[in-house]
Structures are given as structure tokens and as C-alpha cells.
């Protein structure tokens, strides 16, 4: 009887949680369409609070867990979750301008199994992002002081077809290209070249797998980033084929073709890229080179990074150099940027990071400010 009542209670909680989720999505869509302009922030908080409450209830309350054996076990088996909080401050000392970003997110990973083995991996990462005085925010924010529900990663990768050699992923995931494919930079100051393509993660579908001699992923996505609904008809077709990611030396070839949605409309972007990663002892050396065009304008982009980790892997130092080439008037112009940064984790789950970015050489009319950034992140 207790188990039955527990199961009923669990179903009630989950049904109400799904109801709140649908309400959030509907309200955000309505606001985007200009139908409603109130209640979105509070409903977003309700959504994340509901997520946290349900999973905390299932994970920490042993009596409730025993009464919800079937449902609770489904959530907790082969899974991990965390509350992810961070605050970031960016200072432009030349213009004396400061901006900040505050993030509250939920991070859930689960491996689904049956009697024959693993069937797939579910990743669910909704994040509330609050901007303060941020110049040139991503286009899905109303302004530099907006608050939005964003989707970092939210997808299911079905892996039961051929022992991981041919998988199908659907949802919101990072577009496969270059160094980003094998290195998780979400929520960190250390980033690579996605800004050159104008999009990092997108809604869509991909085929992917790991073969004895190479890894691969090929994706067709919406082209609108965080948004499912969008203006126009954007899309992205991209992919990467590379040496297995567990090796000390990794090389890959990538392509990117699509119409990418941004604040000023749709930009046609094409790229071909090559990336290289080498790991030895505490050192990591990275390189990426890509070329293509934006709306027919030729461009190239390169990045090199050297980084070092201590033996405990709770201290990470890195130095990046990047160069952008443009061809506006039938001759090439180049601009260089350097970044240096540190990430320190004094205790598991808590991170302090800092980064300094400076432009060395400037392309005409594309000056970038020198920025100093601090971030504190806590994963509970």
C-alpha cells in the first residue's frame, strides 16, 4: 500500500512538473510573438524549482524513495545531477565599463539501459541567465539587462543500434566542428572558435559514432541557436571526422554550411576546418585552422593554445593566440588576439577562474576592447 501511494504521489508531482514546463514554454513563445509580456520570469523560476524539487526528493528522501521504487529508480539509476550556479564580471578598463552575468542551472545526465546493455544517453541542462549592463548580448535576449531561460544542452543520443558505432542524437547539442567537439567549454571562460561561425549549440538531429580508427558526427540543425522558433528559414549542416578522442594525439577535419540566424538577420556561412590536439604529461597543445566565407566575403581563422594542469588537476593555466583574416577589398587584412587565463578548484564542485583578453593587431573598424573577466562557479 505504501509503495502504491508513493507511486501515485510521484506521478502527481511529475504531472504537475510537466504542466509547469509546458506553461513556461508556452509563455515564452507567447512573449516572443508579442502576445504576452508578464509572468515569464516567475514561471521560469517555477520550472527550475520544480526540477530541483523533484530530483532532490527522489534522491535524498529514503522513505519516499522506497515508496516510489519504480519511478525513483528510473531517475537515479546510472545518472548524476547537479545544481550549477555562477557569477561572472567583465571589466573593460579602457572605457571603465563593467558588466555581469549570473546563472542558475540544472544539469542532469542519465544512461538508459535494458537487459541487452546501454540504449542511450540523456542530457538535460536548462539554465536561467540574468544579464546586467552587458553590451551586444546574444540576439535572443531583449537587451543587456534581460533574464532568459536558455538551453545549454538538452538531447537524447540513442546508442543501441550497433554498439556505439552508429548513434542517433536529437535535441539541443553542440554543432560538431573543430576543437569544440571533444572539449567541454560550457560555462567556462576558456572558449575556442564558435564565435567565428556565429553559433555554438543548436536544435536538430545528428548521426554519430566511434569506430576503431576514427570518431564522427554529422548534424542537420535549425540554425537559430537557443530558439526553436525563428525568423526566416535558417539551417546548419555540419560535421567532423577525427582520430579517436582517447588518444594523446587527435586530429580532425570539419565542415560547416548554413544560414545562421543572428540579431541583424540571417548570414550565410561556410567553413572548412582542421584541428589538432596533443597531450603529454601535464601539458596540452591545441591548434585549429578554418577558412570559408560569410555572405560571400572570404575569411580565415586560426587558434593556438598551450595549457598546463597540476597533478591534482585542480589548477589549470592556459594561453591562447588567435588570428582572423578578412578580405574586404580584394586584399587580406589580419587581426590578432591573445588570452591568458587560470582556473582553480580548491574543493570539488567550486571553481574560481580569471582571464585577460587583449587585441594585438586590429582589422580596420573592428577594434576590440581589452577585457578582464572573473568568474565564480559552484556545482552542488
Amino acid at each position: 500500500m505504501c509503495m502504491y501511494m508513493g507511486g501515485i504521489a510521484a506521478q502527481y508531482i511529475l504531472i504537475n512538473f510537466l504542466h509547469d514546463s509546458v506553461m513556461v514554454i508556452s509563455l515564452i513563445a507567447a512573449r516572443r510573438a508579442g502576445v504576452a509580456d508578464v509572468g515569464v520570469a516567475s514561471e521560469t523560476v517555477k520550472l527550475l524549482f520544480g526540477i530541483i524539487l523533484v530530483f532532490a526528493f527522489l534522491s535524498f528522501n529514503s522513505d519516499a524513495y522506497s515508496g516510489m521504487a519504480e519511478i525513483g529508480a528510473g531517475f537515479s539509476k546510472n545518472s548524476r545531477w547537479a545544481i550549477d550556479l555562477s557569477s561572472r564580471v567583465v571589466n573593460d578598463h579602457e572605457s571603465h565599463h563593467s558588466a555581469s552575468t549570473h546563472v542558475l542551472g540544472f544539469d542532469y545526465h542519465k544512461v538508459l539501459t535494458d537487459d541487452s546493455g546501454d540504449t542511450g544517453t540523456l542530457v538535460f541542462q536548462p539554465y536561467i541567465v540574468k544579464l546586467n549592463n552587458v553590451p551586444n548580448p546574444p540576439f535572443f535576449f531583449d537587451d543587456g539587462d534581460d533574464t532568459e531561460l536558455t538551453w545549454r544542452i538538452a538531447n537524447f543520443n540513442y546508442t543501441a543500434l550497433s554498439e556505439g558505432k552508429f548513434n542517433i542524437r536529437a535535441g539541443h547539442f553542440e554543432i560538431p566542428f573543430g576543437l569544440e567537439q571533444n572539449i567541454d567549454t560550457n560555462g567556462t571562460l576558456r572558449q575556442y572558435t564558435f564565435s567565428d561561425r556565429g553559433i555554438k549549440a543548436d536544435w536538430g538531429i545528428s548521426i554519430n559514432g566511434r569506430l576503431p580508427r576514427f570518431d564522427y558526427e554529422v548534424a542537420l540543425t535549425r540554425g537559430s541557436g537557443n530558439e526553436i522558433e525563428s525568423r526566416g528559414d535558417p539551417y546548419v549542416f555540419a560535421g567532423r571526422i577525427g582520430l579517436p578522442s582517447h588518444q594523446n594525439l587527435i586530429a580532425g577535419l570539419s565542415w560547416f554550411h548554413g544560414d545562421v540566424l543572428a540579431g541583424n538577420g540571417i548570414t550565410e556561412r561556410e567553413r572548412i576546418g582542421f584541428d589538432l590536439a596533443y597531450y603529454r604529461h601535464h601539458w596540452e597543445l591545441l591548434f585549429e585552422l578554418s577558412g570559408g566565407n560569410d555572405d560571400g566575403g572570404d575569411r580565415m581563422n586560426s587558434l593556438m593554445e598551450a595549457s598546463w594542469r597540476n597533478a591534482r588537476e585542480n589548477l589549470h593555466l592556459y594561453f591562447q593566440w588567435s588570428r582572423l583574416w578578412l578580405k574586404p577589398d580584394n586584399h587580406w587584412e589580419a587581426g590578432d588576439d591573445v588570452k591568458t587565463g587560470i582556473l582553480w578548484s580548491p574543493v570539488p564542485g567550486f571553481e574560481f577562474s580569471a582571464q585577460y583578453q587583449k587585441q594585438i593587431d586590429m582589422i580596420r573598424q573592428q577594434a576590440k576592447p581589452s577585457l578582464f573577466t572573473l568568474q565564480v562557479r559552484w556545482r552542488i
Side-chain angles (χ1 to χ4, degrees):
M1 177 62 72
C2 291
M3 292 182 64
Y4 174 76
M5 293 302 294
I8 295 297
Q11 292 179 44
Y12 177 80
I13 292 171
L14 291 171
I15 288 171
N16 279 276
F17 164 66
L18 291 173
H19 174 266
D20 285 347
S21 302
V22 172
M23 286 295 295
V24 170
I25 295 169
S26 300
L27 284 169
I28 291 175
R31 189 180 72 169
R32 291 297 179 194
V35 175
D37 194 33
V38 295
V40 176
S42 61
E43 290 296 331
T44 302
V45 173
K46 280 177 60 181
L47 170 60
L48 271 183
F49 181 75
I51 296 170
I52 295 166
L53 195 61
V54 168
F55 283 98
F57 187 65
L58 292 172
S59 297
F60 292 119
N61 190 321
S62 59
D63 293 335
Y65 185 82
S66 63
M68 297 184 229
E70 293 185 12
I71 297 177
F75 280 114
S76 62
K77 183 179 179 182
N78 299 326
S79 67
R80 60 180 174 85
W81 64 271
I83 310 302
D84 192 347
L85 305 102
S86 67
S87 287
R88 178 182 301 186
V89 177
V90 182
N91 178 257
D92 177 358
H93 65 271
E94 295 174 355
S95 65
H96 304 288
H97 179 274
S98 293
S100 61
T101 304
H102 309 287
V103 178
L104 167 63
F106 180 73
D107 184 358
Y108 179 69
H109 293 244
K110 179 176 176 61
V111 177
L112 281 76
T113 62
D114 59 18
D115 294 338
S116 62
D118 295 345
T119 58
T121 303
L122 173 68
V123 183
F124 182 67
Q125 298 176 337
Y127 279 68
I128 296 174
V129 179
K130 173 68 176 82
L131 305 182
N132 288 311
N133 204 29
V134 173
N136 303 315
F139 73 93
F140 50 85
F141 287 93
D142 291 340
D143 53 47
D145 295 291
D146 193 19
T147 300
E148 289 287 345
L149 172 66
T150 67
W151 296 97
R152 189 164 286 178
I153 301 294
N155 68 76
F156 178 70
N157 194 27
Y158 184 64
T159 60
L161 295 174
S162 57
E163 299 180 342
K165 297 176 182 178
F166 181 84
N167 312 316
I168 300 175
R169 188 193 313 274
H172 194 257
F173 53 88
E174 290 192 40
I175 295 174
F177 192 97
L179 295 169
E180 300 277 354
Q181 178 73 359
N182 292 323
I183 302 174
D184 183 10
T185 60
N186 282 313
T188 70
L189 303 184
R190 180 186 179 219
Q191 299 292 320
Y192 296 115
T193 64
F194 78 90
S195 60
D196 180 59
R197 298 178 296 280
I199 190 169
K200 182 171 184 174
D202 201 9
W203 297 94
I205 188 168
S206 83
I207 57 173
N208 61 90
R210 294 186 173 183
L211 300 174
R213 295 189 177 182
F214 63 91
D215 300 341
Y216 72 92
E217 183 162 15
V218 179
L220 180 63
T221 66
R222 185 70 181 93
S224 54
N226 189 63
E227 304 291 303
I228 298 179
E229 298 289 336
S230 63
R231 307 182 302 276
D233 192 21
Y235 75 95
V236 170
F237 176 62
R240 180 184 180 276
I241 301 174
L243 297 176
S245 59
H246 63 269
Q247 298 183 169
N248 289 337
L249 178 63
I250 307 167
L253 295 173
S254 305
W255 72 89
F256 181 102
H257 177 85
D259 294 338
V260 179
L261 182 65
N264 58 353
I266 290 176
T267 301
E268 182 181 0
R269 302 183 190 271
E270 295 181 348
R271 299 287 190 277
I272 297 293
F274 169 76
D275 62 89
L276 185 68
Y278 178 64
Y279 302 90
R280 182 172 176 81
H281 303 305
H282 301 290
W283 291 92
E284 179 178 343
L285 302 176
L286 306 175
F287 173 75
E288 181 177 320
L289 176 66
S290 64
N293 67 81
D294 284 357
D295 286 336
D298 293 336
R299 61 193 292 134
M300 293 178 62
N301 188 280
S302 68
L303 179 141
M304 292 190 294
E305 179 186 278
S307 70
W308 175 88
R309 288 181 173 88
N310 66 349
R312 295 176 58 191
E313 295 192 351
N314 68 342
L315 178 64
H316 186 195
L317 308 174
Y318 62 89
F319 175 83
Q320 287 184 3
W321 172 81
S322 60
R323 167 166 281 199
L324 173 65
W325 292 268
L326 298 179
K327 194 178 181 181
D329 301 315
N330 293 320
H331 70 278
W332 289 98
E333 297 182 14
D336 297 281
D337 287 85
V338 294
K339 298 177 183 177
T340 184
I342 179 173
L343 187 149
W344 176 49
S345 179
V347 294
F350 182 82
E351 294 178 353
F352 172 82
S353 53
Q355 178 179 274
Y356 180 70
Q357 174 182 346
K358 183 174 179 60
Q359 188 175 46
I360 304 300
D361 294 316
M362 181 181 66
I363 298 176
R364 282 183 297 171
Q365 299 180 349
Q366 292 200 18
K368 296 180 181 178
S370 298
L371 301 176
F372 181 69
T373 308
L374 291 173
Q375 176 172 287
V376 177
R377 187 180 186 186
W378 188 23
R379 291 175 59 85
I380 307 170

